[in-house]
Amino acid sequence: AVVSTQSTGVGIAFCVFCFKYQVFLLLLDTGVCYLLLHLSPARLVHLTVFWWAIIFMSVSHIYRMYTDYNGYHLDFTGPTMIITMKVTSLACSLYDGTH
């Protein structure tokens, strides 16, 4: 438990260092996906998590194109793509495990 807590703390510290206040958007995305994993019915969990993650990622990218078109800045849209893949995979695994 101590190692997990330390690893989580170091990971969040790196995210705050790299993304500043945008880290809250990453935490929002993963938090909503976590809630959807627990609250959605097992037969729909893969769809609800997928659609939330895709919509959140799409809105993030549209915002990025609107505010910094053709620019190159490190922001939260890169990790959002990875989070989308990982939580969708987790939700599909949960769905497969219940069916």
Side-chain angles (χ1 to χ4, degrees):
V2 173
V3 174
S4 296
T5 305
Q6 289 176 344
S7 297
T8 302
V10 169
I12 290 175
F14 276 124
C15 284
V16 169
F17 176 75
C18 291
F19 306 116
K20 311 288 187 265
Y21 67 91
Q22 293 177 348
V23 74
F24 293 115
L25 295 170
L26 298 172
L27 294 174
L28 171 73
D29 188 18
T30 54
V32 170
C33 286
Y34 181 77
L35 287 175
L36 288 173
L37 283 169
H38 284 285
L39 300 177
S40 295
R43 61 185 174 81
L44 296 175
V45 70
H46 62 297
L47 295 174
T48 56
V49 170
F50 170 75
W51 283 111
W52 162 258
I54 287 293
I55 289 170
F56 187 85
M57 183 180 66
S58 298
V59 168
S60 299
H61 278 79
I62 291 168
Y63 174 77
R64 167 72 188 262
M65 287 182 357
Y66 180 74
T67 59
D68 187 30
Y69 185 74
N70 221 8
Y72 183 77
H73 294 93
L74 182 64
D75 71 343
F76 71 101
T77 55
T80 302
M81 291 185 280
I82 296 168
I83 290 170
T84 299
M85 290 185 297
K86 288 188 175 215
V87 297
T88 302
S89 174
L90 177 63
C92 289
S93 296
L94 183 64
Y95 173 77
D96 288 342
T98 58
H99 286 83

